Amino acid sequence: MRSPAPPEPSLRGALSDMLRLSLGGAVALGFARFAYALLLPTMREDLGWSFTLSGALNAANALGYLLGALIAAPLIRRAGLARVFAGAMLLTALTLLACAATGLSVPLLTLRFLSGVGGALVFVSGGGLAALATRAHPERSPLLLGVFYGGAGIGMLLSAALLPPLLAHGWRGAWLALGLAALACIPLSAPALRRLPTQAASAPARTPAVSLRPLAWTLAAYTCFGIGYIAYMTFIVAFLKGAGAQAWITPFWALLGLSVVLHPFVWAPVTARLRGARAMTAQMLTLAAGAALPLLGTTLPALLLSGALFGGSFLAVVAFTTLITRRTLPEHAWARGIAAFTVLFAAGQVAGPLLTGLLADRAGGLRLGLGVSAGVLLLGAALAWGQERGRTT
């Protein structure tokens, strides 16, 4: 006799589960990806790195992210969404701890690569879990997905609180703190993994492979997003330090993280109303404006506005890709669509830090590279507008 299906969670319960699940984003992005920007100035000064090598450390992370996205689907088929999510969080946490043990470039490149693998597996499996969880409350899916992806902001807020005092005594203690915080997030997320649905609907028998062509414009725009956003997130702290605005770095980073956490409440109503990818166009235009502001001036109002605009929009773009996948593809193809977005996102993230670092070394500063970042985001906004010619429901 089959056991009865668990009751559908209330909206409050679903939000609680999404908040727990969002700790995966805190680890994969807030700690393993974005906190590197806070450590970078201290590590560059101590280890004598060029901007190119500095960018290569994040490019290695993005390359690992690309590999993780490519292997996510077969791993999930074999082990299931929940096991892949928990295992990938553990892998990421251990690589953060190990970064405290060496200042050599090759081991650090390897560890950054492995943390990228773990981060991609967290995001693909977590995105799959989050998409399935919205079945109980489809009308609130923009909010629920936004809460999940907003977890990166939790990681950024914790980084802003933990790292500056530790960096005053060197960068090794900062990596150690990130690793320990990441380990602490694993048991906190576990109750949600036990409650959330973990199996998508199976494809009907003899169903042909689902084409991703209806998502072509959004996929192209998302590649530009990967290039443009990661350049800002990698180098903005180093840019501010070089511009003499070091005193504003901690409040800037905290506001950036807080804006990520709050973004669902800003963008969810907009995303629910707009069809096609118009919401993505608006989000990427906002990102381009936020990226350009520090180039116009490093006054405190300009920096805070930049952080609010950028932080309030960049994870909204990530959340939107899961939403448009749900709108456009049948349920059995959701994981494939999310993985495709993740692969192109990762490819863009490999190119972004390297391009910005090379331009910075040639131009003698980060201004040109960050300007190109804003321009690439504008291109992505234009491409997303083309999705209007696609068929979405």
Side-chain angles (χ1 to χ4, degrees):
M1 182 176 179
R2 295 178 62 182
S3 59
E8 296 287 1
S10 65
L11 178 59
R12 184 174 181 178
L15 285 169
S16 175
D17 283 341
M18 286 300 98
L19 186 59
R20 288 183 178 275
L21 198 65
S22 76
L23 295 176
V27 172
L29 289 186
F31 296 158
R33 177 71 56 78
F34 302 144
Y36 173 68
L38 292 174
L39 279 81
L40 176 58
T42 303
M43 295 184 76
R44 280 193 73 237
E45 184 177 339
D46 184 45
L47 301 173
W49 288 350
S50 66
F51 282 117
T52 302
L53 179 56
S54 302
L57 266 291
N58 241 19
N61 184 266
L63 192 61
Y65 200 90
L66 176 59
L67 176 62
L70 291 170
I71 66 174
L75 277 179
I76 289 168
R77 283 195 298 269
R78 181 181 295 271
L81 289 166
R83 287 181 179 175
V84 171
F85 183 85
M89 283 187 70
L90 178 60
L91 170 63
T92 308
L94 293 177
T95 61
L96 291 172
L97 286 171
C99 283
T102 180
L104 299 176
S105 57
V106 173
L108 282 172
L109 285 165
T110 303
L111 290 168
R112 295 291 291 156
F113 175 84
L114 292 174
S115 70
V117 173
L121 293 174
V122 167
F123 252 67
V124 174
S125 58
L129 288 166
L132 291 175
T134 63
R135 291 186 303 195
H137 303 280
E139 74 287 354
R140 305 306 299 271
S141 57
L143 176 62
L144 290 169
L145 291 172
V147 170
F148 166 66
Y149 287 108
I154 297 174
M156 294 174 69
L157 283 170
L158 289 173
S159 299
L162 289 172
L163 298 191
L166 295 172
L167 287 170
H169 305 285
W171 50 268
R172 294 181 189 271
W175 281 117
L176 186 62
L178 289 172
L180 293 174
L183 285 175
C185 289
I186 297 174
L188 292 174
S189 67
L193 299 182
R194 292 192 291 268
R195 286 191 293 264
L196 291 174
T198 60
Q199 186 64 48
S202 300
R206 299 181 181 178
T207 299
V210 175
S211 172
L212 299 181
R213 187 174 298 175
L215 294 172
W217 289 95
T218 318
L219 288 164
Y222 202 53
T223 306
C224 293
F225 169 72
I227 295 171
Y229 107 91
I230 194 60
Y232 178 95
M233 292 299 295
T234 300
F235 288 111
I236 186 61
V237 172
F239 174 79
L240 296 179
K241 186 173 182 180
Q246 186 169 353
W248 308 125
I249 289 174
T250 297
F252 167 82
W253 195 258
L255 177 62
L256 194 69
L258 179 62
S259 300
V260 172
V261 173
L262 296 178
H263 88 264
F265 305 100
V266 176
W267 284 109
V270 177
T271 304
R273 287 197 303 269
L274 297 181
R275 297 179 65 83
R278 288 185 176 178
M280 188 178 190
T281 296
Q283 290 157 357
M284 292 188 70
L285 287 173
T286 306
L287 284 170
L293 274 171
L295 304 177
L296 303 178
T298 53
T299 62
L300 182 59
L303 294 179
L304 294 181
L305 182 58
S306 172
L309 292 176
F310 205 94
S313 301
F314 79 91
L315 263 298
V317 177
V318 181
F320 178 80
T321 62
T322 300
L323 183 65
I324 201 166
T325 297
R326 292 183 73 260
R327 289 175 174 176
T328 307
L329 302 180
E331 183 176 317
H332 67 267
W334 287 355
R336 180 169 175 244
I338 292 169
F341 275 113
T342 307
V343 167
L344 292 176
F345 179 56
Q349 289 184 121
V350 172
L354 286 175
L355 175 63
T356 306
L358 286 169
L359 290 173
D361 283 332
R362 288 181 178 273
L366 288 164
R367 183 172 295 273
L368 175 61
L370 291 175
V372 170
S373 166
V376 172
L377 290 168
L378 284 175
L379 174 61
L383 289 170
W385 189 262
Q387 183 67 44
E388 292 305 300
R389 294 195 287 274
R391 294 178 61 189
T392 59
T393 57

